[in-house]
Amino acid sequence: MTNPYEDAGVNVESGYQISKFVKQNTADNKSNIGNFGGMYEIPEGYKKPVLISSNDGVGTKLLLTENGKLDTIGIDCVAMCVNDILAQGAMPLYFLDYISTGKIDDKVKKILTGVIEGCRQANASLIGGETAEMPDVYSETSYDIAGFSVGICEKDNVLNKSNIKADDILIGISSSGLHSNGYSLIRKIFFKDHDFKMDSVLPELPNGSLGDYLLEPTKIYVKDVLPLLNHKEIHGIAHITGGGFYENIPRMLPDELSAVIDTNRWVKNEIFTAVQKYGSIKTDDMYHIFNMGLGMILAVDSKEAATVLAELNKSILQAWKIGDIVNKTKNSIELTGVDA
Protein backbone atom coordinates (compact mmCIF):
# COMPACT_ATOMS: atom_id res chain seq x y z
CA MET A 1 0.00 0.00 0.00
CA THR A 2 1.46 3.34 -1.05
CA ASN A 3 1.57 6.45 1.08
CA PRO A 4 -0.46 9.27 -0.53
CA TYR A 5 2.19 11.78 0.52
CA GLU A 6 4.82 9.75 -1.32
CA ASP A 7 2.53 9.68 -4.35
CA ALA A 8 2.74 13.49 -4.28
CA GLY A 9 6.53 13.31 -4.33
CA VAL A 10 7.44 13.63 -0.63
CA ASN A 11 9.30 10.87 1.19
CA VAL A 12 8.59 11.35 4.90
CA GLU A 13 10.92 8.54 5.92
CA SER A 14 13.92 10.29 4.36
CA GLY A 15 13.39 13.23 6.72
CA TYR A 16 13.43 10.90 9.71
CA GLN A 17 16.70 9.45 8.47
CA ILE A 18 18.24 12.92 8.35
CA SER A 19 17.30 13.55 11.99
CA LYS A 20 18.89 10.23 12.92
CA PHE A 21 22.04 11.18 10.99
CA VAL A 22 22.40 14.46 12.87
CA LYS A 23 21.84 12.76 16.22
CA GLN A 24 24.54 10.23 15.48
CA ASN A 25 27.02 12.94 14.53
CA THR A 26 26.32 15.43 17.32
CA ALA A 27 26.61 13.29 20.42
CA ASP A 28 26.32 16.22 22.83
CA ASN A 29 22.90 17.13 21.42
CA LYS A 30 21.23 13.73 21.06
CA SER A 31 18.45 14.57 23.49
CA ASN A 32 17.68 17.82 21.69
CA ILE A 33 17.59 16.97 17.99
CA GLY A 34 14.13 15.93 16.85
CA ASN A 35 12.14 17.89 19.43
CA PHE A 36 9.66 20.57 18.36
CA GLY A 37 12.09 23.27 19.44
CA GLY A 38 15.78 23.49 20.18
CA MET A 39 16.72 24.10 23.81
CA TYR A 40 19.82 25.80 25.16
CA GLU A 41 20.57 26.67 28.78
CA ILE A 42 22.07 30.14 29.18
CA PRO A 43 25.55 29.82 30.74
CA GLU A 44 26.02 30.94 34.32
CA GLY A 45 28.16 33.89 35.37
CA TYR A 46 26.61 36.67 33.30
CA LYS A 47 25.37 39.75 35.17
CA LYS A 48 23.50 41.46 32.33
CA PRO A 49 23.51 38.97 29.44
CA VAL A 50 22.50 40.14 25.98
CA LEU A 51 21.59 37.65 23.27
CA ILE A 52 22.77 38.57 19.77
CA SER A 53 21.37 36.72 16.78
CA SER A 54 22.13 36.44 13.08
CA ASN A 55 20.71 34.59 10.11
CA ASP A 56 22.16 34.18 6.64
CA GLY A 57 22.70 31.87 3.69
CA VAL A 58 25.50 31.39 1.18
CA GLY A 59 23.93 32.94 -1.91
CA THR A 60 24.70 31.64 -5.38
CA LYS A 61 27.91 29.95 -4.23
CA LEU A 62 25.77 26.86 -3.68
CA LEU A 63 25.20 26.61 -7.45
CA LEU A 64 28.86 25.61 -7.81
CA THR A 65 28.33 22.47 -5.75
CA GLU A 66 26.49 20.76 -8.60
CA ASN A 67 29.66 18.78 -9.32
CA GLY A 68 28.98 16.85 -6.11
CA LYS A 69 31.34 18.65 -3.69
CA LEU A 70 28.84 19.41 -0.94
CA ASP A 71 30.77 18.91 2.27
CA THR A 72 31.97 22.51 2.70
CA ILE A 73 28.93 24.63 1.86
CA GLY A 74 27.52 24.01 5.35
CA ILE A 75 30.69 25.53 6.84
CA ASP A 76 29.97 28.64 4.79
CA CYS A 77 26.47 28.90 6.22
CA VAL A 78 27.65 28.60 9.81
CA ALA A 79 30.49 31.06 9.20
CA MET A 80 28.27 33.77 7.75
CA CYS A 81 26.15 33.70 10.90
CA VAL A 82 28.71 33.26 13.68
CA ASN A 83 31.18 35.77 12.24
CA ASP A 84 28.47 38.44 12.32
CA ILE A 85 27.74 37.58 15.95
CA LEU A 86 31.44 37.81 16.76
CA ALA A 87 31.58 41.26 15.15
CA GLN A 88 29.14 42.45 17.83
CA GLY A 89 31.44 41.21 20.57
CA ALA A 90 29.44 38.08 21.39
CA MET A 91 30.33 34.41 21.80
CA PRO A 92 28.26 32.13 19.53
CA LEU A 93 26.17 29.66 21.53
CA TYR A 94 24.08 27.66 19.09
CA PHE A 95 23.07 27.24 15.47
CA LEU A 96 20.07 25.92 13.53
CA ASP A 97 19.98 25.12 9.83
CA TYR A 98 17.25 25.07 7.20
CA ILE A 99 17.76 22.99 4.07
CA SER A 100 15.13 22.82 1.33
CA THR A 101 15.37 20.59 -1.72
CA GLY A 102 13.34 18.76 -4.32
CA LYS A 103 14.44 15.40 -2.98
CA ILE A 104 15.99 14.46 0.35
CA ASP A 105 18.84 12.08 -0.41
CA ASP A 106 22.55 11.65 0.27
CA LYS A 107 23.35 15.24 -0.68
CA VAL A 108 21.61 16.48 2.48
CA LYS A 109 23.91 14.37 4.66
CA LYS A 110 26.92 15.79 2.84
CA ILE A 111 25.67 19.35 3.38
CA LEU A 112 25.00 18.64 7.05
CA THR A 113 28.50 17.24 7.42
CA GLY A 114 29.71 20.76 6.67
CA VAL A 115 27.21 22.31 9.07
CA ILE A 116 28.41 20.02 11.85
CA GLU A 117 32.05 20.85 11.08
CA GLY A 118 31.27 24.58 11.03
CA CYS A 119 29.63 24.33 14.44
CA ARG A 120 32.69 22.49 15.72
CA GLN A 121 34.99 25.24 14.47
CA ALA A 122 32.75 27.88 16.05
CA ASN A 123 32.35 25.92 19.30
CA ALA A 124 28.59 26.33 18.83
CA SER A 125 25.96 23.68 19.49
CA LEU A 126 23.78 22.46 16.64
CA ILE A 127 20.49 22.30 18.55
CA GLY A 128 18.00 21.83 15.73
CA GLY A 129 17.07 22.51 12.16
CA GLU A 130 14.67 21.68 9.37
CA THR A 131 15.02 19.72 6.16
CA ALA A 132 12.14 20.32 3.78
CA GLU A 133 11.42 18.19 0.71
CA MET A 134 9.64 20.49 -1.76
CA PRO A 135 9.06 18.88 -5.17
CA ASP A 136 7.99 21.31 -7.91
CA VAL A 137 9.61 24.19 -6.00
CA TYR A 138 13.08 22.66 -6.43
CA SER A 139 14.41 20.04 -8.82
CA GLU A 140 15.65 16.79 -7.28
CA THR A 141 19.27 17.98 -7.45
CA SER A 142 18.82 21.62 -6.43
CA TYR A 143 18.66 22.94 -2.89
CA ASP A 144 19.01 26.00 -0.68
CA ILE A 145 20.48 26.39 2.79
CA ALA A 146 20.07 29.06 5.45
CA GLY A 147 21.17 29.27 9.05
CA PHE A 148 20.28 30.99 12.29
CA SER A 149 22.60 31.50 15.23
CA VAL A 150 22.52 33.09 18.68
CA GLY A 151 25.41 34.36 20.79
CA ILE A 152 25.80 35.94 24.20
CA CYS A 153 27.63 38.91 25.61
CA GLU A 154 27.66 41.06 28.73
CA LYS A 155 25.65 44.18 27.94
CA ASP A 156 28.58 46.44 28.85
CA ASN A 157 30.88 44.52 26.49
CA VAL A 158 28.78 44.77 23.32
CA LEU A 159 30.90 46.39 20.61
CA ASN A 160 29.41 49.62 19.34
CA LYS A 161 30.56 52.70 17.47
CA SER A 162 31.22 54.72 20.62
CA ASN A 163 34.11 52.37 21.47
CA ILE A 164 36.14 53.47 18.45
CA LYS A 165 38.64 56.29 19.04
CA ALA A 166 40.93 58.38 16.86
CA ASP A 167 44.44 56.83 16.76
CA ASP A 168 43.07 53.29 17.09
CA ILE A 169 44.97 50.80 14.96
CA LEU A 170 43.29 48.65 12.31
CA ILE A 171 44.36 45.00 12.18
CA GLY A 172 43.24 42.76 9.33
CA ILE A 173 42.92 38.98 9.63
CA SER A 174 43.31 36.92 6.48
CA SER A 175 40.38 35.41 4.66
CA SER A 176 40.46 31.92 3.17
CA GLY A 177 39.52 33.36 -0.22
CA LEU A 178 36.29 34.74 -1.61
CA HIS A 179 34.25 33.42 1.33
CA SER A 180 30.56 33.53 0.32
CA ASN A 181 30.15 36.84 -1.46
CA GLY A 182 30.11 38.05 -5.04
CA TYR A 183 29.38 34.67 -6.61
CA SER A 184 26.86 35.92 -9.15
CA LEU A 185 29.68 38.01 -10.60
CA ILE A 186 32.20 35.18 -10.12
CA ARG A 187 30.04 32.73 -12.07
CA LYS A 188 29.56 35.27 -14.87
CA ILE A 189 33.30 35.93 -15.17
CA PHE A 190 34.58 32.37 -15.14
CA PHE A 191 31.74 30.31 -16.59
CA LYS A 192 29.80 32.64 -18.89
CA ASP A 193 32.40 35.12 -20.15
CA HIS A 194 35.30 32.63 -20.33
CA ASP A 195 33.64 29.20 -20.37
CA PHE A 196 36.02 27.73 -17.79
CA LYS A 197 35.12 24.56 -15.91
CA MET A 198 35.38 23.78 -12.22
CA ASP A 199 38.36 21.53 -12.93
CA SER A 200 40.15 24.14 -15.06
CA VAL A 201 43.72 24.92 -13.99
CA LEU A 202 44.65 28.58 -14.41
CA PRO A 203 48.20 29.99 -14.29
CA GLU A 204 47.15 32.51 -11.63
CA LEU A 205 45.94 29.69 -9.35
CA PRO A 206 48.92 27.38 -8.72
CA ASN A 207 47.55 25.47 -5.74
CA GLY A 208 44.55 23.70 -7.21
CA SER A 209 41.76 23.80 -9.73
CA LEU A 210 39.45 26.76 -10.19
CA GLY A 211 36.78 24.81 -8.33
CA ASP A 212 39.11 24.25 -5.37
CA TYR A 213 39.55 27.99 -5.00
CA LEU A 214 35.89 28.86 -5.52
CA LEU A 215 34.60 26.27 -3.04
CA GLU A 216 37.14 27.03 -0.30
CA PRO A 217 34.89 27.47 2.76
CA THR A 218 34.50 30.74 4.62
CA LYS A 219 36.92 31.15 7.50
CA ILE A 220 35.39 31.02 10.98
CA TYR A 221 37.12 33.50 13.30
CA VAL A 222 35.74 32.48 16.68
CA LYS A 223 38.83 30.70 18.04
CA ASP A 224 41.10 33.56 16.94
CA VAL A 225 39.03 36.53 18.07
CA LEU A 226 37.09 35.34 21.13
CA PRO A 227 40.16 35.32 23.45
CA LEU A 228 40.83 38.94 22.46
CA LEU A 229 37.24 39.87 23.25
CA ASN A 230 37.49 38.17 26.62
CA HIS A 231 40.56 40.30 27.42
CA LYS A 232 38.71 43.42 26.21
CA GLU A 233 41.43 44.25 23.68
CA ILE A 234 39.10 45.08 20.79
CA HIS A 235 37.19 48.33 20.25
CA GLY A 236 35.36 47.30 17.10
CA ILE A 237 35.08 44.61 14.42
CA ALA A 238 34.06 44.73 10.77
CA HIS A 239 33.12 41.42 9.14
CA ILE A 240 34.02 41.95 5.47
CA THR A 241 31.21 40.40 3.44
CA GLY A 242 29.12 41.62 0.51
CA GLY A 243 29.95 45.26 -0.20
CA GLY A 244 33.62 44.75 0.58
CA PHE A 245 35.62 47.39 2.44
CA TYR A 246 33.54 50.40 1.49
CA GLU A 247 30.27 49.11 2.92
CA ASN A 248 31.38 47.08 5.93
CA ILE A 249 34.16 49.10 7.58
CA PRO A 250 32.04 52.26 7.99
CA ARG A 251 29.42 50.17 9.83
CA MET A 252 31.70 50.07 12.88
CA LEU A 253 32.70 53.76 12.77
CA PRO A 254 31.09 56.79 14.44
CA ASP A 255 30.24 59.66 12.07
CA GLU A 256 33.20 61.78 13.13
CA LEU A 257 35.90 59.21 12.36
CA SER A 258 37.41 57.64 9.24
CA ALA A 259 39.51 54.60 8.42
CA VAL A 260 42.75 55.06 6.46
CA ILE A 261 44.06 51.76 5.06
CA ASP A 262 47.24 50.91 3.14
CA THR A 263 46.29 48.12 0.75
CA ASN A 264 49.92 47.02 0.31
CA ARG A 265 50.27 45.76 3.87
CA TRP A 266 48.87 42.23 3.63
CA VAL A 267 49.12 39.09 1.54
CA LYS A 268 46.19 38.51 -0.81
CA ASN A 269 44.95 35.12 -1.99
CA GLU A 270 45.67 34.39 -5.67
CA ILE A 271 41.95 34.12 -6.44
CA PHE A 272 41.59 37.90 -6.31
CA THR A 273 44.28 38.33 -8.97
CA ALA A 274 42.45 35.87 -11.20
CA VAL A 275 39.06 37.51 -10.65
CA GLN A 276 40.42 40.97 -11.46
CA LYS A 277 42.27 39.78 -14.56
CA TYR A 278 39.53 37.70 -16.15
CA GLY A 279 36.79 40.11 -15.12
CA SER A 280 38.69 43.23 -16.21
CA ILE A 281 37.65 44.83 -12.92
CA LYS A 282 39.15 48.10 -11.66
CA THR A 283 41.04 47.79 -8.39
CA ASP A 284 38.75 50.21 -6.58
CA ASP A 285 35.74 48.15 -7.66
CA MET A 286 37.39 45.01 -6.28
CA TYR A 287 37.41 46.63 -2.84
CA HIS A 288 33.76 47.59 -3.30
CA ILE A 289 32.77 43.95 -3.91
CA PHE A 290 35.17 41.47 -2.28
CA ASN A 291 37.04 41.00 1.01
CA MET A 292 40.38 41.23 -0.86
CA GLY A 293 42.13 38.84 1.49
CA LEU A 294 40.86 40.14 4.84
CA GLY A 295 37.71 38.55 6.22
CA MET A 296 37.70 40.44 9.50
CA ILE A 297 39.14 43.82 10.50
CA LEU A 298 39.68 44.81 14.14
CA ALA A 299 40.02 48.27 15.66
CA VAL A 300 42.28 48.18 18.72
CA ASP A 301 43.96 50.67 21.03
CA SER A 302 47.39 51.64 19.71
CA LYS A 303 48.94 50.44 22.98
CA GLU A 304 47.41 46.97 22.49
CA ALA A 305 48.19 46.54 18.78
CA ALA A 306 51.49 44.69 19.22
CA THR A 307 49.94 42.31 21.77
CA VAL A 308 46.95 41.59 19.54
CA LEU A 309 49.15 40.96 16.50
CA ALA A 310 51.38 38.61 18.49
CA GLU A 311 48.35 36.67 19.73
CA LEU A 312 46.84 36.34 16.25
CA ASN A 313 50.15 35.34 14.66
CA LYS A 314 51.47 33.01 17.34
CA SER A 315 51.05 29.88 15.19
CA ILE A 316 50.83 31.25 11.64
CA LEU A 317 51.14 34.66 10.01
CA GLN A 318 47.57 35.70 9.34
CA ALA A 319 47.18 39.25 10.64
CA TRP A 320 48.71 42.61 9.77
CA LYS A 321 48.51 46.24 10.85
CA ILE A 322 46.71 47.69 7.86
CA GLY A 323 45.79 51.23 8.87
CA ASP A 324 44.54 53.75 11.39
CA ILE A 325 41.41 55.46 12.66
CA VAL A 326 41.60 59.23 12.18
CA ASN A 327 39.40 62.26 12.67
CA LYS A 328 37.11 62.51 9.70
CA THR A 329 38.22 64.71 6.86
CA LYS A 330 36.01 63.70 3.95
CA ASN A 331 35.09 60.04 3.48
CA SER A 332 34.42 57.26 5.99
CA ILE A 333 37.18 55.18 4.42
CA GLU A 334 40.31 56.01 2.45
CA LEU A 335 42.33 53.30 0.72
CA THR A 336 45.89 54.11 -0.33
CA GLY A 337 47.52 52.12 -3.10
CA VAL A 338 44.24 51.70 -5.00
CA ASP A 339 43.71 53.04 -8.50
CA ALA A 340 40.24 54.29 -9.33
Side-chain angles (χ1 to χ4, degrees), residues 52 84-91 152-153 157-159 226 229 237:
I52 296 176
D84 275 351
I85 287 173
L86 198 65
Q88 293 290 110
M91 174 182 71
I152 192 168
C153 185
N157 294 339
V158 174
L159 299 181
L226 195 58
L229 288 171
I237 299 177

Side-chain angles (χ1 to χ4, degrees), residues 22 48 73 102 131 143 152-153 163 182 273 279 289:
V22 176
K48 294 182 179 179
I73 203 74
T131 304
Y143 71 96
I152 192 168
C153 185
N163 297 335
T273 301
I289 301 168

Side-chain angles (χ1 to χ4, degrees), residues 79-118:
M80 296 304 290
C81 294
V82 299
N83 286 343
D84 275 351
I85 287 173
L86 198 65
Q88 293 290 110
M91 174 182 71
L93 293 176
Y94 61 82
F95 181 85
L96 299 95
D97 66 272
Y98 177 85
I99 300 172
S100 50
T101 180
K103 182 179 181 180
I104 296 175
D105 52 22
D106 191 57
K107 70 175 175 294
V108 176
K109 291 182 180 179
K110 292 179 180 178
I111 297 165
L112 284 169
T113 298
V115 171
I116 293 166
E117 171 60 20

Side-chain angles (χ1 to χ4, degrees), residues 4 46 49 86 89 100 111 123 194 208 243 270 293 300 317 327:
Y46 288 88
L86 198 65
S100 50
I111 297 165
N123 198 28
H194 290 280
E270 303 95 342
V300 303
L317 178 62
N327 291 312

Side-chain angles (χ1 to χ4, degrees), residues 39-217:
M39 295 182 292
Y40 194 95
E41 185 174 355
I42 295 177
E44 296 180 353
Y46 288 88
K47 297 177 180 178
K48 294 182 179 179
V50 175
L51 297 179
I52 296 176
S53 59
S54 176
N55 69 299
D56 211 336
V58 298
T60 59
K61 183 175 184 177
L62 59 82
L63 293 175
L64 301 184
T65 64
E66 292 175 351
N67 66 341
K69 184 172 173 55
L70 292 156
D71 59 342
T72 61
I73 203 74
I75 299 176
D76 288 296
C77 191
V78 176
M80 296 304 290
C81 294
V82 299
N83 286 343
D84 275 351
I85 287 173
L86 198 65
Q88 293 290 110
M91 174 182 71
L93 293 176
Y94 61 82
F95 181 85
L96 299 95
D97 66 272
Y98 177 85
I99 300 172
S100 50
T101 180
K103 182 179 181 180
I104 296 175
D105 52 22
D106 191 57
K107 70 175 175 294
V108 176
K109 291 182 180 179
K110 292 179 180 178
I111 297 165
L112 284 169
T113 298
V115 171
I116 293 166
E117 171 60 20
C119 288
R120 186 195 66 79
Q121 292 182 23
N123 198 28
S125 295
L126 179 60
I127 66 168
E130 172 71 10
T131 304
E133 191 169 69
M134 302 168 63
D136 300 332
V137 176
Y138 299 91
S139 70
E140 289 190 359
T141 58
S142 65
Y143 71 96
D144 197 5
I145 180 172
F148 175 84
S149 189
V150 170
I152 192 168
C153 185
E154 285 283 8
K155 186 174 182 179
D156 292 341
N157 294 339
V158 174
L159 299 181
N160 55 62
K161 294 181 179 182
S162 64
N163 297 335
I164 309 292
K165 309 297 180 185
D167 298 325
D168 277 355
I169 301 299
L170 292 172
I171 292 175
I173 312 177
S174 64
S175 67
S176 56
L178 293 165
H179 284 184
S180 301
N181 306 108
Y183 274 80
S184 293
L185 175 58
I186 292 298
R187 291 184 300 109
K188 176 181 182 296
I189 292 170
F190 289 118
F191 305 119
K192 295 181 181 178
D193 295 347
H194 290 280
D195 198 31
F196 292 133
K197 308 300 180 185
M198 289 290 281
D199 60 358
S200 295
V201 177
L202 308 183
E204 297 80 12
L205 305 177
N207 296 316
S209 67
L210 176 60
D212 291 334
Y213 278 86
L214 297 186
L215 289 179
E216 181 68 28

Side-chain angles (χ1 to χ4, degrees), residues 242-263:
F245 281 51
Y246 287 100
E247 179 178 313
N248 290 292
I249 293 175
R251 293 169 67 179
M252 73 171 175
L253 300 176
D255 292 340
E256 68 273 14
L257 297 179
S258 296
V260 178
I261 294 174
D262 183 347
T263 62

